[in-house]
Amino acid sequence: MSREIRIKSVSVGGNNPPRILGVLNISPESFFTDSFTPCSQVFRRMEEMRRAGADIIDLGARSTALNAPPISAAEERERVISALRDLDGCGIPISLDTCRAEVLTAALHYDIALVNDISGLSDESYAKSVADSGLPAILMASNTIPGDPLNFDETKSAISTVLSRAEKYGIENIILDPGVGKWTAERTSEADWELCRRFSELKAYDLPLLAAVSRKSFIGERLNKPPHERIFGSLAVFYHLMEAGADLLRVHDVGAASDFVKVFTRLNGED
């Protein structure tokens, strides 16, 4: 059993069932174009995900997929603030997916409850911003750039580095993201399969674990299918990761994932 983290009214880890982190993607550059939501429609999309069973909404304005076109920090900040204005006070915890200090600092004027950092606190100014915010944080296994470990042993080493950074800055409420995905050109799909197979070993860190595999490329390579045809493959991987101890599922398909969790927990004797 992992440590329990509170994100406003939502408890993640401990004896709680897997929670649903719904992706609210305001980046038109995303690898999964069907998930893009214009800023003018974020409240409607948030309501759809809440009704479908999302526990937390993960707002992201910049695609971090390999070879995605870059955008400036100013453009990312503008997108985020436009969305947060409409979401402020919406009643469901909002996570902000960014690794830029100026974006986080601007967002703290609004009602966010969680920080999602794929850089693993590798940037000092950003790490200070996270620490100063006092918010819980999802921290991904990264050394110098997001997702740079190339195998399971390197992932464990990166996790140790990230946790040392967190300790340095006094960040204690952590959800651990092992970093499944093709973040760098050097990373292979086999690295992702190995990480999924050995996911249960990460419970040794006594931290809630994030499963972020929705529609990712390693699933697409196995099925020879594009992102919009990977939902069933994604659910299969999520099932394995829940069996292995995943506490939080980052998903594009909230309704399907919510049904999946309800059936999974019932099969495991939970109400």
Side-chain angles (χ1 to χ4, degrees):
M1 183 193 309
S2 64
R3 186 186 318 170
E4 181 177 292
I5 301 295
R6 292 279 294 181
I7 302 163
K8 287 202 168 180
S9 61
V10 178
S11 296
V12 178
N15 287 317
N16 296 287
R19 302 299 191 185
I20 302 293
L21 179 66
V23 176
L24 182 49
N25 170 27
I26 57 173
S27 166
E29 302 85 12
S30 173
F31 82 98
F32 180 32
T33 54
D34 290 358
S35 70
F36 169 62
T37 300
C39 285
S40 60
Q41 298 178 30
V42 293
F43 192 86
R44 175 193 58 78
R45 181 65 182 137
M46 176 277 298
E47 285 286 5
E48 289 175 354
M49 288 196 288
R50 172 159 51 188
R51 288 195 299 269
D55 297 296
I56 307 166
I57 300 296
D58 192 37
L59 177 68
R62 179 172 72 107
S63 175
T64 53
L66 187 64
N67 299 322
I71 66 168
S72 68
E75 184 171 1
E76 182 185 358
R77 183 180 65 247
E78 182 179 346
R79 292 176 183 178
V80 165
I81 297 310
S82 176
L84 288 176
R85 285 194 189 106
D86 287 345
L87 294 172
D88 215 31
C90 66
I92 186 170
I94 302 295
S95 164
L96 179 63
D97 182 356
T98 187
C99 49
R100 286 169 162 166
E102 63 186 274
V103 176
L104 175 58
T105 299
L108 291 173
H109 294 287
Y110 298 87
D111 189 20
I112 63 172
L114 177 66
V115 177
N116 185 358
D117 174 26
I118 63 168
S119 73
L121 304 176
S122 58
D123 178 80
E124 184 174 351
S125 62
Y126 182 77
K128 289 179 179 177
S129 295
V130 174
D132 290 345
S133 76
L135 294 174
I138 299 172
L139 301 180
M140 195 171 88
S142 302
N143 293 303
T144 57
I145 60 172
D148 49 8
L150 299 181
N151 55 49
F152 190 77
D153 288 340
E154 289 187 13
T155 295
K156 290 196 298 182
S157 176
I159 289 171
S160 296
T161 297
V162 170
L163 295 181
S164 293
R165 292 170 183 156
E167 184 178 11
K168 173 183 175 181
Y169 291 101
I171 300 167
E172 297 180 350
N173 292 321
I174 297 166
I175 297 170
L176 187 60
D177 177 3
V180 176
K182 191 171 180 61
W183 299 95
T184 67
E186 297 79 15
R187 187 180 175 93
T188 66
S189 61
E190 180 52 37
D192 291 327
W193 290 114
E194 181 189 24
L195 188 47
C196 290
R197 292 186 197 107
R198 300 179 65 179
F199 196 85
S200 63
E201 296 179 37
L202 303 176
K203 299 302 286 185
Y205 293 100
D206 189 33
L207 293 170
L209 295 177
L210 176 74
V213 299
S214 182
R215 298 181 181 264
K216 288 193 170 179
S217 61
F218 74 110
I219 297 170
E221 288 181 17
R222 177 64 176 168
L223 302 177
N224 193 27
K225 290 183 176 181
H228 67 276
E229 296 180 5
R230 298 174 187 169
I231 181 172
F232 301 115
S234 297
L235 291 174
V237 179
F238 276 126
Y239 178 83
H240 171 78
L241 297 182
M242 286 191 292
E243 287 276 17
D247 299 290
L248 183 63
L249 313 182
R250 186 179 186 272
V251 304
H252 296 95
D253 309 284
V254 171
S258 179
D259 287 353
F260 214 68
V261 169
K262 287 175 183 176
V263 173
F264 173 85
T265 53
R266 193 70 181 97
L267 286 168
N268 282 274
E270 302 170 33
D271 236 348

